[in-house]
């Protein structure tokens, strides 16, 4: 049976070009990039190259790019790094209520050290209102962090307008955006976005796992989370993961060159999935903005049934998807993002999260939309909630 | 290694005794949609034995499999035997469940016991018993965020 990956937010297949860029640094050019002797030459060159490739994607200077271990680490570096460096100026941080856990749990951890945070509510499509940011700003606000695009519902925020509110408040607060989901699929030009910091995750766009990207604008103060040597301009110590960084650089270059091609490939597939599912199954709802949405994300809630069961039946048909139901969450809580956009807790259990990628075809989308209705029907026939709803009609 | 055992997958994909009994002698329903699981078990009792049993479940793979397994375990058993079947025994009969599923999704024996209780209550002229809400914790709000 064919395996269809409709869960690219979990993992994308590395591109051959990425793998090829990594290969020399495992056994041939295994040197330490910090070495003065010749073994350090090729690794050092690889780091420089990757840094310029990332800088081109972000439209920044090479020395504004820091390599970390993951998108989560980049988010932690932004939140805690700024908090620790600027606690004399203030202890208030603003985030949105639909951030990734690497942002939300980071600010929550900081409350144990006396920091406070405001989690901004979002509208039914998941948008943060820039006016709300302005209203939430305080004299002691040191940082605002809003995700570029939601990793669950795909809604793309108006980061430019939010950044403008943060900077025009005039207290020196910094603006960070988590672009771990958006990078590689829509523009992540830091000048256009107006941000001081940005996080990105190469494994989401055909790069390797084990490496994260962090844009840190020149002049922005952070305290490192990992102290040690001089690596990454002293902002992130530890011997560099040269192979992964080389792969990340190549993934950035591919992203820069292919952004339009990717969008053109994904949009019709996304449209087919959304339109067909909404028209062929009753009481299914699309979450997130229809128009201002990542081209690779689809998020439905299917009434009366539970997401993990749907996920398992789809898996049985060779289709890999994710769900935001409590049962799939591992902490047994349904998606905080669906809660934030006002999806009823019971309905949120029927969450189905699809994330597309370059290996998906229109045939995959058609196969999925053929399989889903009978799976939904099967589970509904087994559901006491469906039975109740039918008998009350 | 797959998350679920082969037996769980078998019961999930081929659930036994799905459906409802329109003239059931006892019905047990428990769970909470916010937690993600609701189980409803119907029993038909004859000569103190569970002559027929059916279930409907809203929930994850473990919820479906435990519901299916409990119906298979108790069909033809006396009420006393059925009352002795525990959630742990159901999980064991399925060759175990992932630790995270042991609490919320492993309530099928409890639902069965409620069905027996309901049968006894009706028989004693006390009428049907109520559904049981198993949700005893908060689900919403940023303050509830925890490290996974």
């Amino acid at each position: 049976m064919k395996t269809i990956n409709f869960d690219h937010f979990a993992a994308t297949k590395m591109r051959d070009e990425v793998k090829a860029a990594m290969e020399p640094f495992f056994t041939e050019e295994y040197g330490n990039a910090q070495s003065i002797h010749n073994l350090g030459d090729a690794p050092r060159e690889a780091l420089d190259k990757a840094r310029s490739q990332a800088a081109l994607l972000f439209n920044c200077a090479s020395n504004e790019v820091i390599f970390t271990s993951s998108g989560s680490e980049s988010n932690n570096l932004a939140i805690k790094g700024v908090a620790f460096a600027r606690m004399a100026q203030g202890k208030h941080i603003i985030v949105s209520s639909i951030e990734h856990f690497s942002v939300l749990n980071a600010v929550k951890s900081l409350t144990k050290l006396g920091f406070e945070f405001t989690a901004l509510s979002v509208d039914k499509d998941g948008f943060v209102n820039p006016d709300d940011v302005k209203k939430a700003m305080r004299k002691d606000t040191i940082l605002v962090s809003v995700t570029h695009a939601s990793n669950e519902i795909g809604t793309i925020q108006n980061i430019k307008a939010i950044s403008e509110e943060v900077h025009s408040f005039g207290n020196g607060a910094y603006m960070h955006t988590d672009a771990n989901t958006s990078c590689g699929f829509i523009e992540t030009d830091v000048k256009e976005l107006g941000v001081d910091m940005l996080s990105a995750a190469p494994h989401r766009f055909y790069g390797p796992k084990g490496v994260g990207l962090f844009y840190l604008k020149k002049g922005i103060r952070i305290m490192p989370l990992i102290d040690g040597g001089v690596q990454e301009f002293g902002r992130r110590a530890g011997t560099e993961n040269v192979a992964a960084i080389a792969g990340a650089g190549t993934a950035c270059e591919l992203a820069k060159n292919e952004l339009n091609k990717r969008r053109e490939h994904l949009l019709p597939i996304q449209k087919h999935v959304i339109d067909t599912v909404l028209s062929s199954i009753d009481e299914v709802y699309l979450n997130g903005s229809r128009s201002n949405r990542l081209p690779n994300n689809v998020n439905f809630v299917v009434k009366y049934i539970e997401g993990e069961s749907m996920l398992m039946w789809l898996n049985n048909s060779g289709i890999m998807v994710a769900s935001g139901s409590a049962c799939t969450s591992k902490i047994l809580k349904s998606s905080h993002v669906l809660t934030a956009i006002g999806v009823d807790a019971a309905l949120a259990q029927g969450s189905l999260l699809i994330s597309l990628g370059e290996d998906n075809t229109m045939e995959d989308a058609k196969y999925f939309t053929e399989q889903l209705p009978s799976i939904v029907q099967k589970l509904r026939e087994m559901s006491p909630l469906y039975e109740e709803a039918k008998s009350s009609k | 290694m797959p998350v679920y055992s082969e037996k769980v997958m078998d019961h999930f994909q081929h659930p036994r005794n799905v459906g409802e009994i329109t003239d059931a002698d006892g019905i047990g329903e428990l769970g909470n949609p916010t937690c993600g699981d609701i189980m409803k078990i119907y029993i038909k009792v004859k000569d103190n034995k569970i002559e027929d049993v059916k279930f409907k479940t809203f929930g994850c793979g473990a919820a479906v499999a435990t519901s299916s397994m409990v119906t298979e375990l108790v069909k033809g058993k006396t009420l006393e035997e059925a009352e002795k079947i525990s959630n742990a025994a159901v999980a064991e009969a399925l060759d175990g469940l992932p630790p995270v599923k042991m609490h919320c999704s492993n309530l099928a024996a409890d639902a069965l016991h409620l069905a027996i209780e309901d049968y006894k209550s009706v028989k004693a002229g006390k009428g049907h018993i109520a559904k049981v809400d198993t949700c005893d914790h908060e689900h919403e709000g940023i303050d509830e965020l925890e490290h996974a």
Side-chain angles (χ1 to χ4, degrees):
Chain A
M1 186 169 53
K2 194 184 169 192
T3 295
I4 297 174
N5 181 8
F6 267 13
D7 190 14
H8 284 85
F9 286 178
T12 58
K13 186 175 167 184
M14 267 192 337
R15 282 276 286 271
D16 291 343
E17 297 94 318
V18 170
K19 195 177 166 200
M22 293 172 74
E23 251 153 16
F25 303 100
F26 292 112
T27 54
E28 292 159 46
E29 297 293 352
Y30 61 88
N32 188 316
Q34 300 301 327
S35 294
I36 306 292
H37 53 67
N38 288 155
L39 276 177
D41 293 350
R44 194 161 43 246
E45 257 171 56
L47 292 190
D48 289 345
K49 183 180 173 192
R51 219 179 290 283
S52 351
Q53 287 166 318
L56 270 176
L57 182 62
F58 298 151
N59 188 26
C60 68
S62 281
N63 61 7
E64 292 176 312
V65 174
I66 290 170
F67 295 109
T68 66
S69 70
S70 62
S72 287
E73 186 190 325
S74 296
N75 281 343
N76 271 266
L77 184 54
I79 307 278
K80 294 175 186 166
V82 168
F84 298 155
R86 305 200 64 218
M87 55 202 293
Q89 280 77 45
K91 287 190 154 187
H92 181 240
I93 296 170
I94 299 172
V95 298
S96 87
S97 52
I98 63 166
E99 296 299 306
H100 186 263
F101 282 111
S102 54
V103 169
L104 289 175
N105 282 341
V107 291
K108 206 190 165 204
S109 287
L110 285 173
T111 61
K112 289 168 191 154
L113 301 174
F115 287 87
E116 290 173 57
F117 72 90
T118 301
L120 298 170
S121 55
V122 294
D123 69 15
K124 64 174 177 45
D125 284 337
F127 287 108
V128 171
N129 184 339
D131 266 354
D132 290 348
V133 177
K134 188 179 176 179
K135 285 178 205 148
M137 292 290 292
R138 308 190 324 206
K139 256 194 240 163
D140 61 341
T141 304
I142 51 173
L143 174 69
V144 176
S145 181
V146 174
T147 190
H148 188 202
S150 167
N151 64 313
E152 290 194 32
I153 55 173
T155 300
I156 303 168
Q157 301 292 342
N158 190 350
I159 294 298
K160 190 186 172 124
I162 295 170
S163 297
E164 277 166 11
E165 292 298 350
V166 173
H167 293 135
S168 66
F169 192 74
N171 68 343
Y174 295 155
M175 174 69 197
H176 166 254
T177 191
D178 168 4
N180 285 327
T181 304
S182 58
C183 187
F185 296 93
I186 56 172
E187 292 284 350
T188 43
D189 178 327
V190 293
K191 297 201 171 67
E192 183 61 29
L193 294 169
V195 295
D196 303 306
M197 289 164 284
L198 175 144
S199 306
H203 83 90
R204 289 283 183 80
F205 54 97
Y206 318 115
K209 300 173 188 68
V211 60
L213 301 166
F214 186 60
Y215 158 73
L216 180 68
K217 190 177 173 181
K218 192 168 184 291
I220 298 295
R221 288 175 54 223
I222 59 160
M223 191 178 266
L225 301 184
I226 299 177
D227 288 305
V230 298
Q231 294 91 351
E232 301 305 305
F233 318 109
R235 261 69 176 248
R236 204 276 183 183
T239 298
E240 301 91 344
N241 185 354
V242 180
I245 291 170
T250 304
C252 287
E253 185 177 320
L254 292 168
K256 173 83 185 158
N257 295 339
E258 295 175 5
L259 222 47
N260 287 333
K261 192 177 117 189
R262 286 178 190 178
R263 185 166 37 238
E264 280 160 26
H265 166 245
L266 292 166
L267 281 175
I269 299 174
Q270 180 191 45
K271 185 178 185 323
H272 178 83
V273 169
I274 294 175
D275 290 348
T276 312
V277 169
L278 290 180
S279 66
S280 65
I281 306 174
D282 285 341
E283 298 187 273
V284 173
Y285 310 96
L286 180 73
N287 298 310
S289 167
R290 181 80 206 239
S291 52
N292 225 340
R293 181 181 204 107
L294 286 177
N296 54 346
N297 165 284
V298 180
N299 185 314
F300 295 117
V301 281
V302 183
K303 209 171 177 182
Y304 311 120
I305 59 179
E306 191 277 331
E308 191 197 272
S309 285
M310 259 189 294
L311 184 160
M312 286 170 67
W313 274 114
L314 286 165
N315 181 58
N316 208 41
S317 299
I319 305 164
M320 317 293 146
V321 300
S323 169
S325 81
C327 284
T328 38
S329 73
K330 305 215 166 60
I331 49 169
L332 302 179
K333 280 182 187 142
S334 57
S335 154
H336 66 287
V337 176
L338 295 184
T339 303
I341 60 169
V343 175
D344 168 74
L347 190 55
Q349 302 302 343
S351 142
L352 194 61
L353 171 54
I354 293 162
S355 43
L356 306 167
E358 64 182 8
D359 49 318
N360 293 138
T361 62
M362 190 54 106
E363 281 64 45
D364 294 346
K366 285 179 180 161
Y367 176 66
F368 167 77
T369 53
E370 281 159 21
Q371 296 290 313
L372 188 65
S374 61
I375 290 172
V376 169
Q377 191 52 32
K378 183 160 30 196
L379 290 169
R380 280 183 174 170
E381 274 163 17
M382 202 190 278
S383 165
L385 296 177
Y386 189 57
E387 178 191 308
E388 263 173 45
K390 265 196 318 185
S391 62
S392 67
K393 264 176 197 164
Chain B
M1 199 181 77
V3 173
Y4 287 125
S5 73
E6 278 179 31
K7 271 198 187 162
V8 170
M9 288 310 293
D10 178 41
H11 277 264
F12 174 72
Q13 286 171 11
H14 312 284
R16 281 63 145 174
N17 306 306
V18 180
E20 48 197 300
I21 300 175
T22 43
D23 59 342
D25 296 316
I27 300 175
E29 182 170 354
L30 60 68
N32 182 299
T34 308
C35 295
D37 294 298
I38 298 173
M39 296 174 185
K40 194 168 182 181
I41 292 195
Y42 304 79
I43 53 169
K44 193 84 192 147
V45 181
K46 196 178 177 187
D47 302 332
N48 198 48
K49 278 187 178 165
I50 297 185
E51 188 188 45
D52 196 12
V53 52
K54 294 222 183 286
F55 80 91
K56 285 214 167 177
T57 288
F58 164 89
C60 64
V64 173
T66 52
S67 307
S68 168
M69 179 52 93
V70 85
T71 62
E72 202 171 67
L73 287 175
V74 300
K75 212 168 187 175
K77 293 272 180 2
T78 65
L79 294 182
E80 291 71 28
E81 287 167 331
E83 278 168 340
K84 280 186 200 139
I85 289 171
S86 64
N87 290 330
V90 174
E92 202 178 318
L94 288 165
D95 292 340
L97 290 172
V100 72
K101 300 287 185 183
M102 286 302 278
H103 175 61
C104 291
S105 311
N106 186 22
L107 300 167
D110 292 347
L112 170 77
H113 299 157
L114 281 177
I116 296 173
E117 205 183 305
D118 183 56
Y119 161 73
K120 288 179 172 172
S121 172
V122 171
K123 208 176 156 200
K126 293 180 196 161
H128 287 288
I129 61 164
K131 291 181 201 179
V132 172
D133 189 329
T134 51
C135 186
D136 54 4
H137 47 275
E138 288 288 316
H139 279 272
E140 286 173 39
I142 289 288
D143 290 334
E144 279 295 307
L145 297 169
E146 277 166 20
H147 289 271

